[in-house]
Amino acid sequence: MTSPSPHPAPDAAAPLVVQDWERLSFRVHRRAYRDADLFAAERARIWERTWLYLGHETELGPNDFKVRTLGGRPLIFTRDAKGELHAFLNSCPHRGTVLCRETQGTSKHFNCFYHAWAFHNTGEVAAIPDPSAYADEEYKASMRLREVARLEVFEGFVFVSFTDDVPPLVDHLGPAADYMRMIGEQHVAGMEVLPGTQLYGVRGNWKLAVENAMDGYHFSPTHNTFVGYLRESGFAVDDDDQYAYNLGNGHSLLILTGHGGRISMLWEPRFGEDERVRTAEHRREMEQRLGSERAHLVADESHILFVFPNLLLFDLEGLSIRQLEPVAPGHTDVRAWQLAPRGEDPAVRDLRMRTMVSFVGPGGLATPDDIEAYEAVQRGIEATAGDGRAELDYSDMSRGMADDGTGRRGRSTDEGAMRGFWRHWATVVGAGGPVDVGTPPAGHPEPTPLPSKRPHGLDEILAGLETGNEVAAR
């Protein structure tokens, strides 16, 4: 028998997020995934009022541009001849025509096809047909391209805000900043985004993509084909010493050690013996450059990082950037790019790309599973819509809730990272935060991410090389 809700109410009035501290249950009302009014509230109160990930600075050379959409707003992301980055609204100041109709290219100017107004890629008006019909130069200067309110760059990642009323980017990122910094520390030459964008649409709400990324619970059952492949190649997948963390401001992190190897940092048999030698050389360089403790942290753990509200970083076998663009309550566009070391050996680059697309690429062994899963959730939440038994129209995220508020680390297979996201969402979107049933535990700070207990990868690699050399000598 289904227990009655402590807050029975019609669908439109039912609380969106309920945390019951007596039963240790956490529930999210399913209209959060399908309601048009809530979707509009998200646009107004999240996408219009916080930092959004736009792109990476290495995507643009001088005078290059990319056209992107954030929060439903079309933007021109460009670098001028002097190297300065800009993000303009893709709208002619004259009559609002979409100014740039190509998805990318190289140009010092943007020309409006409707009335032939032209603009420099620094934003100033370059030419207006028959300028004598307008008052003066002051008017011309007022018609420059409209830039976003704020643009800041952190470790190569470019963020924008549509309002000035946001904290400095580094304050918004908080503890997430160090995990973004680790990405640049992986290689002495730094990282660059590779050409090409993976773009696909998903018939599901954007928040399901966040849940899926922070959900270690689904890994083995949903991705059993990939898990079997890893086992056959000599890597045993496990869930030990893997944790989920709430980083504040809606950000969250999974630290994984039982997922698989990492190209050029943590070797596993499927990468081949040549890569084992290269990895050992690179790890020695990291030890010298970063110190043993930092090198261990950067190289021996896989990370999945979510930066609220639209950036996912999958720092696994390789590194994939995903940008979420909500289109409608039940439709999300995903853009993905690959980060790789600058000047990387071609053989390593080829291995990196083949390995990356085999798992998190749109045709890999993981991403299609994930898309099917959260499209299936989106279809399934319609089953309880409008049911007179209001308590049925909730999704449960209670796994591991006994750890909440105690200071204990939540496991990656629990749902604590999702709860952190939903608590922040319920506060920001205007729902006043979660509804508490019973007495919440005394406040404890969120646990600080700790290094895993995994053995030092360089020691493993060198031991394997020594064993291999002894066998070869015989």
Side-chain angles (χ1 to χ4, degrees), residues 415-435:
E415 294 165 336
M418 294 181 220
R419 291 190 291 274
F421 165 78
W422 278 106
R423 289 174 181 132
H424 184 77
W425 177 90
T427 300
V428 174
V429 86
V435 170

Side-chain angles (χ1 to χ4, degrees), residues 219 226 230 235 237-238 242 256-261 302 316-317 359:
F219 180 73
F226 181 69
L230 287 181
F235 187 93
V237 177
D238 65 67
Q242 301 194 133
L256 308 172
T257 57
H259 176 277
S302 293
L316 305 169
E317 299 95 333
F359 185 64

Side-chain angles (χ1 to χ4, degrees), residues 24 65 84 198 242 261 268 276 306 346 371 393 405 409 457:
L24 291 177
F65 68 87
E84 185 175 350
Q198 298 168 346
Q242 301 194 133
E268 65 169 282
R276 179 163 20 195
F306 170 62
I371 292 173
D393 204 17
R409 292 186 292 172

Side-chain angles (χ1 to χ4, degrees), residues 209-224:
V210 179
E211 290 179 7
N212 180 269
M214 292 296 111
D215 178 15
Y217 192 29
H218 83 277
F219 180 73
S220 291
T222 304
H223 304 310
N224 58 350

Side-chain angles (χ1 to χ4, degrees), residues 255-309:
I255 293 182
L256 308 172
T257 57
H259 176 277
R262 310 184 71 205
I263 299 296
S264 77
M265 289 184 288
L266 185 60
W267 183 84
E268 65 169 282
R270 62 181 168 136
F271 298 159
E273 291 301 315
D274 289 344
E275 178 61 10
R276 179 163 20 195
V277 174
R278 290 189 292 256
T279 301
E281 293 173 354
H282 179 230
R283 287 296 298 265
R284 289 190 186 99
E285 184 278 325
M286 291 182 70
E287 296 278 319
Q288 184 175 18
R289 175 167 50 91
L290 301 175
S292 181
E293 183 176 339
R294 184 70 173 179
H296 173 56
L297 192 63
V298 171
D300 288 328
E301 298 175 350
S302 293
H303 302 138
I304 300 177
L305 177 67
F306 170 62
V307 177
F308 187 90

